[in-house]
């Protein structure tokens, strides 16, 4: 470790102001605009925390309160977040989504849905390349999917399936 990391006087603890109301899975830090975005899997919300004043809000969508929020990623002024419906009933048609928000307006720009086939999906993490292509891990299917988020009509495509990707955290 570098000396800076060992010297605890250089570590700043920033309170998020969310208290113990949420249990978080995803985290994305917007240092330019002093915001933190968190995926709450228990309250099923995407939480937006202002580091400037310690307040927080919910980025509302039709999935708010319904799907477990997981991974978050920031790229070029957009927040990308994945959420999952957790219903293992054999007759269920659970959905998993990738949401794209504008971080300035807090508006939902696009969403991409995937219905579970032969059991539900579990989108866990998301990263996005410079062209707007998102790569999403699906731990229950041991897969990584891609979708071009600049094309609102695009759909998820399986990029790779590998047993070793099961339950990647």
């Amino acid at each position: 470790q570098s000396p800076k990391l060992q010297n605890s006087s250089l570590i700043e603890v920033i309170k998020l102001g969310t208290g113990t109301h949420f249990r978080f899975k995803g985290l994305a830090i917007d240092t330019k605009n002093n915001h933190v975005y968190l995926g709450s899997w228990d309250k099923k919300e995407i939480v937006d925390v202002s580091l400037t004043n310690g307040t927080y809000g919910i980025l509302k969508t039709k999935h708010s309160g319904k799907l477990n929020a997981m991974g978050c990623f920031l790229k070029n002024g957009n927040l990308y977040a994945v959420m999952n419906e957790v219903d293992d009933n054999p007759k269920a048609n659970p959905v998993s989504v990738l949401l794209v928000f504008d971080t300035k307006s807090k508006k939902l720009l696009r969403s991409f849905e995937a219905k579970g086939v032969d059991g539900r999906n579990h989108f866990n993490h998301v990263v996005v390349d410079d062209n707007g292509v998102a790569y999403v891990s699906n731990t229950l299917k041991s897969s990584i999917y891609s979708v071009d988020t600049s094309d609102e009509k695009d759909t998820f495509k399986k990029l790779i399936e590998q047993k070793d990707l099961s339950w990647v955290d």
Side-chain angles (χ1 to χ4, degrees), residues 7 10 14 18 38 42 46 62 68 70 91 97 100 106 135 140-141 143 150 152 154 160:
N7 184 344
L10 297 177
I14 300 171
T18 59
L38 302 138
D42 66 328
I46 305 296
K62 70 179 186 177
N68 298 65
M70 302 298 282
K91 294 182 180 181
V97 298
V100 184
K106 309 299 183 195
Y135 301 91
L140 287 180
K141 305 288 183 169
S143 301
S150 63
E152 63 188 34
D154 200 18
I160 187 171

mmCIF file with all atom_site columns, all heavy atoms in Angstrom, residues 7 10 14 18 38 42 46 62 68 70 91 97 100 106 135 140-141 143 150 152 154 160:
data_model
loop_
_atom_site.group_PDB
_atom_site.id
_atom_site.type_symbol
_atom_site.label_atom_id
_atom_site.label_alt_id
_atom_site.label_comp_id
_atom_site.label_asym_id
_atom_site.label_entity_id
_atom_site.label_seq_id
_atom_site.pdbx_PDB_ins_code
_atom_site.Cartn_x
_atom_site.Cartn_y
_atom_site.Cartn_z
_atom_site.occupancy
_atom_site.B_iso_or_equiv
_atom_site.pdbx_formal_charge
_atom_site.auth_seq_id
_atom_site.auth_comp_id
_atom_site.auth_asym_id
_atom_site.auth_atom_id
_atom_site.pdbx_PDB_model_num
ATOM 1   N N   . ASN A 1 7   ? -2.021  6.295   6.009   1.00 0.00 ? 7   ASN A N   1
ATOM 2   C CA  . ASN A 1 7   ? -2.185  7.444   6.888   1.00 0.00 ? 7   ASN A CA  1
ATOM 3   C C   . ASN A 1 7   ? -3.671  7.776   6.971   1.00 0.00 ? 7   ASN A C   1
ATOM 4   O O   . ASN A 1 7   ? -4.236  8.385   6.082   1.00 0.00 ? 7   ASN A O   1
ATOM 5   C CB  . ASN A 1 7   ? -1.389  8.635   6.354   1.00 0.00 ? 7   ASN A CB  1
ATOM 6   C CG  . ASN A 1 7   ? -1.444  9.818   7.287   1.00 0.00 ? 7   ASN A CG  1
ATOM 7   O OD1 . ASN A 1 7   ? -2.284  9.887   8.172   1.00 0.00 ? 7   ASN A OD1 1
ATOM 8   N ND2 . ASN A 1 7   ? -0.544  10.753  7.084   1.00 0.00 ? 7   ASN A ND2 1
ATOM 9   N N   . LEU A 1 10  ? -5.623  11.118  6.044   1.00 0.00 ? 10  LEU A N   1
ATOM 10  C CA  . LEU A 1 10  ? -5.894  11.521  4.672   1.00 0.00 ? 10  LEU A CA  1
ATOM 11  C C   . LEU A 1 10  ? -7.186  10.914  4.123   1.00 0.00 ? 10  LEU A C   1
ATOM 12  O O   . LEU A 1 10  ? -7.591  11.218  3.024   1.00 0.00 ? 10  LEU A O   1
ATOM 13  C CB  . LEU A 1 10  ? -4.730  11.147  3.758   1.00 0.00 ? 10  LEU A CB  1
ATOM 14  C CG  . LEU A 1 10  ? -3.404  11.835  4.075   1.00 0.00 ? 10  LEU A CG  1
ATOM 15  C CD1 . LEU A 1 10  ? -2.312  11.321  3.158   1.00 0.00 ? 10  LEU A CD1 1
ATOM 16  C CD2 . LEU A 1 10  ? -3.537  13.340  3.945   1.00 0.00 ? 10  LEU A CD2 1
ATOM 17  N N   . ILE A 1 14  ? -17.422 10.344  4.020   1.00 0.00 ? 14  ILE A N   1
ATOM 18  C CA  . ILE A 1 14  ? -18.534 11.186  3.584   1.00 0.00 ? 14  ILE A CA  1
ATOM 19  C C   . ILE A 1 14  ? -19.833 10.452  3.887   1.00 0.00 ? 14  ILE A C   1
ATOM 20  O O   . ILE A 1 14  ? -20.066 9.353   3.385   1.00 0.00 ? 14  ILE A O   1
ATOM 21  C CB  . ILE A 1 14  ? -18.438 11.496  2.074   1.00 0.00 ? 14  ILE A CB  1
ATOM 22  C CG1 . ILE A 1 14  ? -17.139 12.231  1.784   1.00 0.00 ? 14  ILE A CG1 1
ATOM 23  C CG2 . ILE A 1 14  ? -19.650 12.294  1.615   1.00 0.00 ? 14  ILE A CG2 1
ATOM 24  C CD1 . ILE A 1 14  ? -16.841 12.394  0.325   1.00 0.00 ? 14  ILE A CD1 1
ATOM 25  N N   . THR A 1 18  ? -28.402 8.551   3.748   1.00 0.00 ? 18  THR A N   1
ATOM 26  C CA  . THR A 1 18  ? -29.464 7.574   3.513   1.00 0.00 ? 18  THR A CA  1
ATOM 27  C C   . THR A 1 18  ? -29.794 6.783   4.768   1.00 0.00 ? 18  THR A C   1
ATOM 28  O O   . THR A 1 18  ? -30.771 6.031   4.769   1.00 0.00 ? 18  THR A O   1
ATOM 29  C CB  . THR A 1 18  ? -29.067 6.588   2.395   1.00 0.00 ? 18  THR A CB  1
ATOM 30  O OG1 . THR A 1 18  ? -27.865 5.923   2.783   1.00 0.00 ? 18  THR A OG1 1
ATOM 31  C CG2 . THR A 1 18  ? -28.876 7.299   1.076   1.00 0.00 ? 18  THR A CG2 1
ATOM 32  N N   . LEU A 1 38  ? -26.703 4.740   -6.351  1.00 0.00 ? 38  LEU A N   1
ATOM 33  C CA  . LEU A 1 38  ? -26.654 3.442   -5.696  1.00 0.00 ? 38  LEU A CA  1
ATOM 34  C C   . LEU A 1 38  ? -27.859 2.609   -6.088  1.00 0.00 ? 38  LEU A C   1
ATOM 35  O O   . LEU A 1 38  ? -28.979 3.131   -6.184  1.00 0.00 ? 38  LEU A O   1
ATOM 36  C CB  . LEU A 1 38  ? -26.641 3.626   -4.172  1.00 0.00 ? 38  LEU A CB  1
ATOM 37  C CG  . LEU A 1 38  ? -25.480 4.461   -3.637  1.00 0.00 ? 38  LEU A CG  1
ATOM 38  C CD1 . LEU A 1 38  ? -25.953 5.397   -2.563  1.00 0.00 ? 38  LEU A CD1 1
ATOM 39  C CD2 . LEU A 1 38  ? -24.397 3.560   -3.136  1.00 0.00 ? 38  LEU A CD2 1
ATOM 40  N N   . ASP A 1 42  ? -32.959 -4.150  -1.802  1.00 0.00 ? 42  ASP A N   1
ATOM 41  C CA  . ASP A 1 42  ? -34.058 -4.459  -0.884  1.00 0.00 ? 42  ASP A CA  1
ATOM 42  C C   . ASP A 1 42  ? -35.255 -3.528  -1.062  1.00 0.00 ? 42  ASP A C   1
ATOM 43  O O   . ASP A 1 42  ? -36.394 -3.962  -1.044  1.00 0.00 ? 42  ASP A O   1
ATOM 44  C CB  . ASP A 1 42  ? -33.577 -4.467  0.570   1.00 0.00 ? 42  ASP A CB  1
ATOM 45  C CG  . ASP A 1 42  ? -33.131 -3.110  1.076   1.00 0.00 ? 42  ASP A CG  1
ATOM 46  O OD1 . ASP A 1 42  ? -32.618 -2.305  0.271   1.00 0.00 ? 42  ASP A OD1 1
ATOM 47  O OD2 . ASP A 1 42  ? -33.290 -2.840  2.288   1.00 0.00 ? 42  ASP A OD2 1
ATOM 48  N N   . ILE A 1 46  ? -33.345 3.024   -7.512  1.00 0.00 ? 46  ILE A N   1
ATOM 49  C CA  . ILE A 1 46  ? -32.069 3.649   -7.862  1.00 0.00 ? 46  ILE A CA  1
ATOM 50  C C   . ILE A 1 46  ? -32.025 4.946   -7.058  1.00 0.00 ? 46  ILE A C   1
ATOM 51  O O   . ILE A 1 46  ? -32.909 5.794   -7.202  1.00 0.00 ? 46  ILE A O   1
ATOM 52  C CB  . ILE A 1 46  ? -31.956 3.946   -9.375  1.00 0.00 ? 46  ILE A CB  1
ATOM 53  C CG1 . ILE A 1 46  ? -32.202 2.692   -10.206 1.00 0.00 ? 46  ILE A CG1 1
ATOM 54  C CG2 . ILE A 1 46  ? -30.601 4.578   -9.685  1.00 0.00 ? 46  ILE A CG2 1
ATOM 55  C CD1 . ILE A 1 46  ? -31.203 1.583   -10.027 1.00 0.00 ? 46  ILE A CD1 1
ATOM 56  N N   . LYS A 1 62  ? -41.049 3.070   -14.119 1.00 0.00 ? 62  LYS A N   1
ATOM 57  C CA  . LYS A 1 62  ? -42.149 2.108   -13.917 1.00 0.00 ? 62  LYS A CA  1
ATOM 58  C C   . LYS A 1 62  ? -41.676 0.878   -13.142 1.00 0.00 ? 62  LYS A C   1
ATOM 59  O O   . LYS A 1 62  ? -42.484 0.103   -12.658 1.00 0.00 ? 62  LYS A O   1
ATOM 60  C CB  . LYS A 1 62  ? -42.774 1.712   -15.257 1.00 0.00 ? 62  LYS A CB  1
ATOM 61  C CG  . LYS A 1 62  ? -41.892 0.847   -16.128 1.00 0.00 ? 62  LYS A CG  1
ATOM 62  C CD  . LYS A 1 62  ? -42.608 0.474   -17.424 1.00 0.00 ? 62  LYS A CD  1
ATOM 63  C CE  . LYS A 1 62  ? -41.800 -0.509  -18.229 1.00 0.00 ? 62  LYS A CE  1
ATOM 64  N NZ  . LYS A 1 62  ? -42.509 -0.931  -19.451 1.00 0.00 ? 62  LYS A NZ  1
ATOM 65  N N   . ASN A 1 68  ? -35.436 -5.472  -8.179  1.00 0.00 ? 68  ASN A N   1
ATOM 66  C CA  . ASN A 1 68  ? -34.241 -5.274  -7.360  1.00 0.00 ? 68  ASN A CA  1
ATOM 67  C C   . ASN A 1 68  ? -33.190 -4.525  -8.165  1.00 0.00 ? 68  ASN A C   1
ATOM 68  O O   . ASN A 1 68  ? -32.843 -4.945  -9.267  1.00 0.00 ? 68  ASN A O   1
ATOM 69  C CB  . ASN A 1 68  ? -33.657 -6.613  -6.920  1.00 0.00 ? 68  ASN A CB  1
ATOM 70  C CG  . ASN A 1 68  ? -34.600 -7.411  -6.060  1.00 0.00 ? 68  ASN A CG  1
ATOM 71  O OD1 . ASN A 1 68  ? -35.651 -7.823  -6.524  1.00 0.00 ? 68  ASN A OD1 1
ATOM 72  N ND2 . ASN A 1 68  ? -34.244 -7.622  -4.824  1.00 0.00 ? 68  ASN A ND2 1
ATOM 73  N N   . MET A 1 70  ? -29.429 -3.291  -8.963  1.00 0.00 ? 70  MET A N   1
ATOM 74  C CA  . MET A 1 70  ? -28.114 -3.891  -8.796  1.00 0.00 ? 70  MET A CA  1
ATOM 75  C C   . MET A 1 70  ? -27.032 -2.913  -9.251  1.00 0.00 ? 70  MET A C   1
ATOM 76  O O   . MET A 1 70  ? -26.911 -1.840  -8.694  1.00 0.00 ? 70  MET A O   1
ATOM 77  C CB  . MET A 1 70  ? -28.046 -5.214  -9.572  1.00 0.00 ? 70  MET A CB  1
ATOM 78  C CG  . MET A 1 70  ? -29.102 -6.228  -9.166  1.00 0.00 ? 70  MET A CG  1
ATOM 79  S SD  . MET A 1 70  ? -28.990 -6.752  -7.450  1.00 0.00 ? 70  MET A SD  1
ATOM 80  C CE  . MET A 1 70  ? -27.645 -7.891  -7.547  1.00 0.00 ? 70  MET A CE  1
ATOM 81  N N   . LYS A 1 91  ? -44.373 -20.416 -13.503 1.00 0.00 ? 91  LYS A N   1
ATOM 82  C CA  . LYS A 1 91  ? -45.320 -19.773 -14.405 1.00 0.00 ? 91  LYS A CA  1
ATOM 83  C C   . LYS A 1 91  ? -45.064 -18.271 -14.559 1.00 0.00 ? 91  LYS A C   1
ATOM 84  O O   . LYS A 1 91  ? -45.752 -17.603 -15.315 1.00 0.00 ? 91  LYS A O   1
ATOM 85  C CB  . LYS A 1 91  ? -46.746 -20.005 -13.915 1.00 0.00 ? 91  LYS A CB  1
ATOM 86  C CG  . LYS A 1 91  ? -47.161 -21.464 -13.983 1.00 0.00 ? 91  LYS A CG  1
ATOM 87  C CD  . LYS A 1 91  ? -48.579 -21.656 -13.537 1.00 0.00 ? 91  LYS A CD  1
ATOM 88  C CE  . LYS A 1 91  ? -48.937 -23.133 -13.622 1.00 0.00 ? 91  LYS A CE  1
ATOM 89  N NZ  . LYS A 1 91  ? -50.314 -23.388 -13.232 1.00 0.00 ? 91  LYS A NZ  1
ATOM 90  N N   . VAL A 1 97  ? -33.963 -5.437  -16.524 1.00 0.00 ? 97  VAL A N   1
ATOM 91  C CA  . VAL A 1 97  ? -33.867 -4.229  -17.333 1.00 0.00 ? 97  VAL A CA  1
ATOM 92  C C   . VAL A 1 97  ? -32.518 -3.544  -17.182 1.00 0.00 ? 97  VAL A C   1
ATOM 93  O O   . VAL A 1 97  ? -31.844 -3.680  -16.167 1.00 0.00 ? 97  VAL A O   1
ATOM 94  C CB  . VAL A 1 97  ? -34.972 -3.202  -16.982 1.00 0.00 ? 97  VAL A CB  1
ATOM 95  C CG1 . VAL A 1 97  ? -36.343 -3.757  -17.245 1.00 0.00 ? 97  VAL A CG1 1
ATOM 96  C CG2 . VAL A 1 97  ? -34.842 -2.704  -15.574 1.00 0.00 ? 97  VAL A CG2 1
ATOM 97  N N   . VAL A 1 100 ? -31.247 3.747   -18.708 1.00 0.00 ? 100 VAL A N   1
ATOM 98  C CA  . VAL A 1 100 ? -30.280 4.792   -19.055 1.00 0.00 ? 100 VAL A CA  1
ATOM 99  C C   . VAL A 1 100 ? -30.887 6.132   -18.655 1.00 0.00 ? 100 VAL A C   1
ATOM 100 O O   . VAL A 1 100 ? -31.931 6.523   -19.184 1.00 0.00 ? 100 VAL A O   1
ATOM 101 C CB  . VAL A 1 100 ? -29.944 4.797   -20.560 1.00 0.00 ? 100 VAL A CB  1
ATOM 102 C CG1 . VAL A 1 100 ? -28.871 5.835   -20.862 1.00 0.00 ? 100 VAL A CG1 1
ATOM 103 C CG2 . VAL A 1 100 ? -29.511 3.407   -21.033 1.00 0.00 ? 100 VAL A CG2 1
ATOM 104 N N   . LYS A 1 106 ? -31.978 14.020  -14.663 1.00 0.00 ? 106 LYS A N   1
ATOM 105 C CA  . LYS A 1 106 ? -32.479 12.873  -13.885 1.00 0.00 ? 106 LYS A CA  1
ATOM 106 C C   . LYS A 1 106 ? -33.599 12.140  -14.600 1.00 0.00 ? 106 LYS A C   1
ATOM 107 O O   . LYS A 1 106 ? -34.323 11.361  -14.023 1.00 0.00 ? 106 LYS A O   1
ATOM 108 C CB  . LYS A 1 106 ? -32.954 13.287  -12.486 1.00 0.00 ? 106 LYS A CB  1
ATOM 109 C CG  . LYS A 1 106 ? -31.968 14.114  -11.701 1.00 0.00 ? 106 LYS A CG  1
ATOM 110 C CD  . LYS A 1 106 ? -30.685 13.391  -11.460 1.00 0.00 ? 106 LYS A CD  1
ATOM 111 C CE  . LYS A 1 106 ? -29.771 14.272  -10.605 1.00 0.00 ? 106 LYS A CE  1
ATOM 112 N NZ  . LYS A 1 106 ? -28.419 13.849  -10.599 1.00 0.00 ? 106 LYS A NZ  1
ATOM 113 N N   . TYR A 1 135 ? -22.470 -3.718  -21.744 1.00 0.00 ? 135 TYR A N   1
ATOM 114 C CA  . TYR A 1 135 ? -22.186 -5.133  -21.509 1.00 0.00 ? 135 TYR A CA  1
ATOM 115 C C   . TYR A 1 135 ? -22.708 -5.459  -20.118 1.00 0.00 ? 135 TYR A C   1
ATOM 116 O O   . TYR A 1 135 ? -22.319 -4.828  -19.138 1.00 0.00 ? 135 TYR A O   1
ATOM 117 C CB  . TYR A 1 135 ? -20.690 -5.406  -21.628 1.00 0.00 ? 135 TYR A CB  1
ATOM 118 C CG  . TYR A 1 135 ? -20.168 -5.028  -22.991 1.00 0.00 ? 135 TYR A CG  1
ATOM 119 C CD1 . TYR A 1 135 ? -19.668 -3.755  -23.247 1.00 0.00 ? 135 TYR A CD1 1
ATOM 120 C CD2 . TYR A 1 135 ? -20.219 -5.942  -24.040 1.00 0.00 ? 135 TYR A CD2 1
ATOM 121 C CE1 . TYR A 1 135 ? -19.218 -3.394  -24.508 1.00 0.00 ? 135 TYR A CE1 1
ATOM 122 C CE2 . TYR A 1 135 ? -19.773 -5.593  -25.311 1.00 0.00 ? 135 TYR A CE2 1
ATOM 123 C CZ  . TYR A 1 135 ? -19.270 -4.312  -25.528 1.00 0.00 ? 135 TYR A CZ  1
ATOM 124 O OH  . TYR A 1 135 ? -18.838 -3.966  -26.777 1.00 0.00 ? 135 TYR A OH  1
ATOM 125 N N   . LEU A 1 140 ? -27.188 -15.707 -13.386 1.00 0.00 ? 140 LEU A N   1
ATOM 126 C CA  . LEU A 1 140 ? -27.952 -16.958 -13.377 1.00 0.00 ? 140 LEU A CA  1
ATOM 127 C C   . LEU A 1 140 ? -27.835 -17.719 -14.686 1.00 0.00 ? 140 LEU A C   1
ATOM 128 O O   . LEU A 1 140 ? -28.081 -18.926 -14.730 1.00 0.00 ? 140 LEU A O   1
ATOM 129 C CB  . LEU A 1 140 ? -29.428 -16.680 -13.069 1.00 0.00 ? 140 LEU A CB  1
ATOM 130 C CG  . LEU A 1 140 ? -29.745 -16.302 -11.626 1.00 0.00 ? 140 LEU A CG  1
ATOM 131 C CD1 . LEU A 1 140 ? -31.244 -16.045 -11.469 1.00 0.00 ? 140 LEU A CD1 1
ATOM 132 C CD2 . LEU A 1 140 ? -29.272 -17.369 -10.657 1.00 0.00 ? 140 LEU A CD2 1
ATOM 133 N N   . LYS A 1 141 ? -27.484 -17.044 -15.752 1.00 0.00 ? 141 LYS A N   1
ATOM 134 C CA  . LYS A 1 141 ? -27.338 -17.680 -17.062 1.00 0.00 ? 141 LYS A CA  1
ATOM 135 C C   . LYS A 1 141 ? -25.864 -17.826 -17.456 1.00 0.00 ? 141 LYS A C   1
ATOM 136 O O   . LYS A 1 141 ? -25.575 -18.204 -18.594 1.00 0.00 ? 141 LYS A O   1
ATOM 137 C CB  . LYS A 1 141 ? -28.066 -16.867 -18.147 1.00 0.00 ? 141 LYS A CB  1
ATOM 138 C CG  . LYS A 1 141 ? -29.522 -16.610 -17.859 1.00 0.00 ? 141 LYS A CG  1
ATOM 139 C CD  . LYS A 1 141 ? -30.368 -17.834 -18.002 1.00 0.00 ? 141 LYS A CD  1
ATOM 140 C CE  . LYS A 1 141 ? -31.824 -17.454 -17.761 1.00 0.00 ? 141 LYS A CE  1
ATOM 141 N NZ  . LYS A 1 141 ? -32.757 -18.441 -18.107 1.00 0.00 ? 141 LYS A NZ  1
ATOM 142 N N   . SER A 1 143 ? -23.676 -15.698 -18.308 1.00 0.00 ? 143 SER A N   1
ATOM 143 C CA  . SER A 1 143 ? -23.536 -15.035 -19.606 1.00 0.00 ? 143 SER A CA  1
ATOM 144 C C   . SER A 1 143 ? -23.240 -13.549 -19.466 1.00 0.00 ? 143 SER A C   1
ATOM 145 O O   . SER A 1 143 ? -23.471 -12.943 -18.422 1.00 0.00 ? 143 SER A O   1
ATOM 146 C CB  . SER A 1 143 ? -24.836 -15.171 -20.406 1.00 0.00 ? 143 SER A CB  1
ATOM 147 O OG  . SER A 1 143 ? -25.168 -16.516 -20.609 1.00 0.00 ? 143 SER A OG  1
ATOM 148 N N   . SER A 1 150 ? -27.457 3.468   -27.710 1.00 0.00 ? 150 SER A N   1
ATOM 149 C CA  . SER A 1 150 ? -27.760 4.636   -28.544 1.00 0.00 ? 150 SER A CA  1
ATOM 150 C C   . SER A 1 150 ? -28.885 4.336   -29.532 1.00 0.00 ? 150 SER A C   1
ATOM 151 O O   . SER A 1 150 ? -29.429 5.240   -30.154 1.00 0.00 ? 150 SER A O   1
ATOM 152 C CB  . SER A 1 150 ? -26.504 5.112   -29.286 1.00 0.00 ? 150 SER A CB  1
ATOM 153 O OG  . SER A 1 150 ? -26.048 4.113   -30.164 1.00 0.00 ? 150 SER A OG  1
ATOM 154 N N   . GLU A 1 152 ? -32.523 2.944   -29.553 1.00 0.00 ? 152 GLU A N   1
ATOM 155 C CA  . GLU A 1 152 ? -33.634 2.590   -28.665 1.00 0.00 ? 152 GLU A CA  1
ATOM 156 C C   . GLU A 1 152 ? -34.362 1.311   -29.078 1.00 0.00 ? 152 GLU A C   1
ATOM 157 O O   . GLU A 1 152 ? -35.080 0.718   -28.282 1.00 0.00 ? 152 GLU A O   1
ATOM 158 C CB  . GLU A 1 152 ? -34.629 3.740   -28.547 1.00 0.00 ? 152 GLU A CB  1
ATOM 159 C CG  . GLU A 1 152 ? -35.295 4.109   -29.837 1.00 0.00 ? 152 GLU A CG  1
ATOM 160 C CD  . GLU A 1 152 ? -36.139 5.370   -29.737 1.00 0.00 ? 152 GLU A CD  1
ATOM 161 O OE1 . GLU A 1 152 ? -35.771 6.277   -28.980 1.00 0.00 ? 152 GLU A OE1 1
ATOM 162 O OE2 . GLU A 1 152 ? -37.165 5.423   -30.438 1.00 0.00 ? 152 GLU A OE2 1
ATOM 163 N N   . ASP A 1 154 ? -32.710 -1.426  -30.191 1.00 0.00 ? 154 ASP A N   1
ATOM 164 C CA  . ASP A 1 154 ? -31.815 -2.574  -30.049 1.00 0.00 ? 154 ASP A CA  1
ATOM 165 C C   . ASP A 1 154 ? -32.319 -3.479  -28.919 1.00 0.00 ? 154 ASP A C   1
ATOM 166 O O   . ASP A 1 154 ? -33.072 -3.046  -28.046 1.00 0.00 ? 154 ASP A O   1
ATOM 167 C CB  . ASP A 1 154 ? -30.382 -2.119  -29.778 1.00 0.00 ? 154 ASP A CB  1
ATOM 168 C CG  . ASP A 1 154 ? -29.370 -3.212  -30.100 1.00 0.00 ? 154 ASP A CG  1
ATOM 169 O OD1 . ASP A 1 154 ? -29.714 -4.164  -30.839 1.00 0.00 ? 154 ASP A OD1 1
ATOM 170 O OD2 . ASP A 1 154 ? -28.224 -3.130  -29.621 1.00 0.00 ? 154 ASP A OD2 1
ATOM 171 N N   . ILE A 1 160 ? -21.443 -13.919 -24.734 1.00 0.00 ? 160 ILE A N   1
ATOM 172 C CA  . ILE A 1 160 ? -20.674 -15.088 -24.309 1.00 0.00 ? 160 ILE A CA  1
ATOM 173 C C   . ILE A 1 160 ? -21.439 -15.825 -23.218 1.00 0.00 ? 160 ILE A C   1
ATOM 174 O O   . ILE A 1 160 ? -22.157 -15.220 -22.435 1.00 0.00 ? 160 ILE A O   1
ATOM 175 C CB  . ILE A 1 160 ? -19.268 -14.670 -23.797 1.00 0.00 ? 160 ILE A CB  1
ATOM 176 C CG1 . ILE A 1 160 ? -18.401 -15.880 -23.509 1.00 0.00 ? 160 ILE A CG1 1
ATOM 177 C CG2 . ILE A 1 160 ? -19.366 -13.780 -22.573 1.00 0.00 ? 160 ILE A CG2 1
ATOM 178 C CD1 . ILE A 1 160 ? -16.958 -15.543 -23.223 1.00 0.00 ? 160 ILE A CD1 1
#
